[in-house]
Amino acid sequence: MHLRIRTAATLAVAASFIGLVGLAPPVSASQTPEGKYCTIVVEPVKPGEKTSRVKSRTCTDDRATAAAARNSAQTPLMSWYEHANYGGDSTMVFGEFGPCDLSGYKLNTGLWSRSISSFRTYSSCNFQSAYLYDGDCCATYWGYDTPYVGDWANDRIGSFQINNI
């Protein structure tokens, strides 16, 4: 009798746990899914918000698949690289509403905040401010190619503000 009650109680707990797992929110688009090559599509910052909303994020280990996803995306804004001189894993960020303007885009790097060593920008995003994940502000960059972010910012960039100035 005790075994039957214990089994029923165990099954009830397991069923409630399974029900709770089903209610768990989906993985955030700003988190890093599996894969070496990622593509992110963002919106411009909306009034009252601090960062650009992520519309979609996909990752793959296959360069050809990543290239196809990038070719079908919106306006290219920025690429992040794991190592200096554009080496290692990478993420490419696209803007859903066109190139950089004076307002630009504010990009949260998510789990990339401990990985960025170099980056490139495109589509008139010629001014970049890199805010460090620990609250230090900020490293600024001009132009489109940054083969090394510098010792101070290496593997510490928590977000970027990118603009056309």
Side-chain angles (χ1 to χ4, degrees), residues 20-69:
L20 289 174
V21 169
L23 297 175
V27 174
S28 167
S30 66
Q31 294 174 334
T32 303
E34 295 296 318
K36 294 181 176 186
Y37 311 104
C38 297
T39 301
I40 301 172
V41 178
V42 297
E43 298 177 339
V45 178
K46 294 185 177 188
E49 295 183 356
K50 293 183 179 185
T51 60
S52 298
R53 284 187 187 183
V54 175
K55 297 290 289 182
S56 67
R57 181 182 184 104
T58 57
C59 293
T60 181
D61 285 329
D62 179 57
R63 278 188 194 259
T65 303

Side-chain angles (χ1 to χ4, degrees), residues 73-116:
Q74 310 291 323
T75 306
L77 300 175
M78 186 173 214
S79 295
W80 306 327
Y81 298 89
E82 178 184 24
H83 301 305
N85 297 310
Y86 318 111
D89 296 353
S90 65
T91 288
M92 190 158 184
V93 182
F94 293 85
E96 188 173 63
F97 294 98
C100 282
D101 56 13
L102 188 59
S103 299
Y105 292 83
K106 177 78 183 229
L107 308 173
N108 182 334
T109 61
L111 295 178
W112 267 86
S113 66
R114 298 183 190 268
S115 300
I116 298 171

Side-chain angles (χ1 to χ4, degrees), residues 109-147:
T109 61
L111 295 178
W112 267 86
S113 66
R114 298 183 190 268
S115 300
I116 298 171
S117 295
S118 60
F119 65 87
R120 287 187 161 126
T121 59
Y122 317 95
S123 305
S124 302
C125 301
N126 64 349
F127 181 77
Q128 310 88 35
S129 295
Y131 297 86
L132 305 187
Y133 67 79
D134 58 8
D136 282 347
C137 175
C138 43
T140 55
Y141 307 91
W142 290 91
Y144 297 98
D145 292 321
T146 304

Side-chain angles (χ1 to χ4, degrees), residues 142-162:
W142 290 91
Y144 297 98
D145 292 321
T146 304
Y148 183 60
V149 296
D151 291 345
W152 184 72
N154 188 42
D155 296 338
R156 296 180 62 208
I157 297 173
S159 64
F160 283 102
Q161 173 70 47
I162 57 174

